[in-house]
Amino acid sequence: MYALNFRKAASADDAVAKLAAAVDGRFLAGGQTLIPTIKQRLADPSDLISLAGAGLSGVSIAGTDVTVGAMMTHAEVAGDRTVQMNIPAVAALAAGIGDPAVRHRGTIGGSIANNDPAADYPAAVLGLGATVRTNRRAIAADDFFTGLFETALDADELIKGVTFPKAERSAYAKFPNPASRYAMVGVFVARNAGGVRVAVTGAGSNGVFRHAGLEAALSARFSPDAVDGVDVSSDDLMADIHGSADYRANLIKVMAKRAVAAA
């Protein structure tokens, strides 16, 4: 691990100021990806700016929208009563991330900023059509995730929270890798008056994505059986030692049916 400076931010503005003053600084949320990367000497930041004391935790509700602070850990999201009552699919998703050690350190803001192609939260953000709120702007979910480990965030932009709209029905189903608990395929389904959104994680070669065919079929008839007639192509799906593209295509349909049944 290379030598670096460790800074504690007292607020979001203070965090941004400390980042601007660093030669090559990085924000530190839960550190579940960043710290191992630094230990392996795959990253060499000059400064780490800890967000632990920056006041970015907490959950609030306004009308039909629930805003979750960026520094809420997965365990806190899973156990929060407001989340459980208003967006229960997000609470259930958070409860299934990793293991207890990961859930008590990893954060929702860190997860979506990292945008790992097999992470769970991006499916919830995209599936519910959430809004990512930063120190500068509000970014719609459809515009936020731009590729593998890539987002619309600028280098010095900080996520402050995520606003999720309530859905009439929603659920998440995933097939986890038995070792890492990352999603080999995860499908988040949400139904509202305007139709159905279906977001898939763990399978896309470019990261999380919406599946138009599943959305159309489930908007017409919100039933697990509606998934049967949908063609899920293996084109542009990931293939690795854990599963082929065809295998993941089949898992998308299976997880979609399970999510609809749970919803």
Side-chain angles (χ1 to χ4, degrees):
M1 185 171 181
Y2 297 107
L4 51 78
N5 300 306
F6 182 78
R7 315 290 188 190
K8 293 183 179 180
S11 66
D13 289 342
D14 184 40
V16 173
K18 282 181 165 59
L19 186 74
V23 174
D24 181 21
R26 295 286 298 274
F27 293 129
L28 176 66
Q32 296 302 286
T33 298
L34 181 57
I35 295 300
T37 302
I38 294 173
K39 283 184 174 182
Q40 294 169 25
R41 298 198 170 196
L42 298 175
D44 183 20
S46 64
D47 296 72
L48 287 184
I49 295 92
S50 172
L51 303 175
L56 300 176
S57 293
V59 176
S60 61
I61 185 167
T64 60
D65 292 338
V66 178
T67 298
V68 179
M71 285 297 290
M72 290 286 286
T73 66
H74 311 324
E76 289 172 336
V77 174
D80 185 88
R81 188 64 174 165
T82 299
V83 175
Q84 292 173 346
M85 293 295 292
N86 294 279
I87 43 174
V90 176
L93 177 151
I97 295 175
D99 56 29
V102 169
R103 290 194 290 274
H104 282 82
R105 289 298 302 170
T107 65
I108 183 172
S111 175
I112 65 173
N114 188 50
N115 191 23
D116 189 294
D120 297 296
Y121 273 126
V125 173
L126 189 59
L128 282 170
T131 301
V132 179
R133 302 194 179 280
T134 77
N135 58 312
R136 295 179 182 172
R137 53 182 171 153
I139 309 173
D142 288 322
D143 300 322
F144 183 78
F145 303 106
T146 59
L148 292 178
F149 298 101
E150 294 181 352
T151 69
L153 291 171
D154 293 330
D156 57 349
E157 195 167 7
L158 174 65
I159 297 175
K160 299 180 71 174
V162 184
T163 299
F164 294 95
K166 292 183 188 179
E168 292 176 359
R169 292 173 181 258
S170 62
Y172 178 65
K174 78 169 174 177
F175 189 87
N177 181 297
S180 68
R181 312 306 294 171
Y182 271 102
M184 287 185 62
V185 168
V187 178
F188 196 103
V189 174
R191 187 184 78 174
N192 276 316
V196 175
R197 293 174 67 100
V198 178
V200 180
T201 189
S205 59
N206 290 312
V208 67
F209 66 95
R210 290 173 62 186
H211 196 284
L214 288 170
E215 290 181 346
L218 292 170
S219 292
R221 183 165 61 92
F222 195 73
S223 168
D225 294 342
V227 173
D228 292 332
V230 178
D231 176 40
V232 176
S233 173
S234 61
D235 294 346
D236 297 324
L237 296 187
M238 286 197 294
D240 54 26
I241 61 172
H242 304 296
S244 66
D246 287 337
Y247 181 65
R248 282 186 164 88
N250 181 67
L251 278 180
I252 289 173
K253 295 186 71 168
V254 174
M255 293 303 109
K257 294 181 74 169
R258 291 183 184 179
V260 174

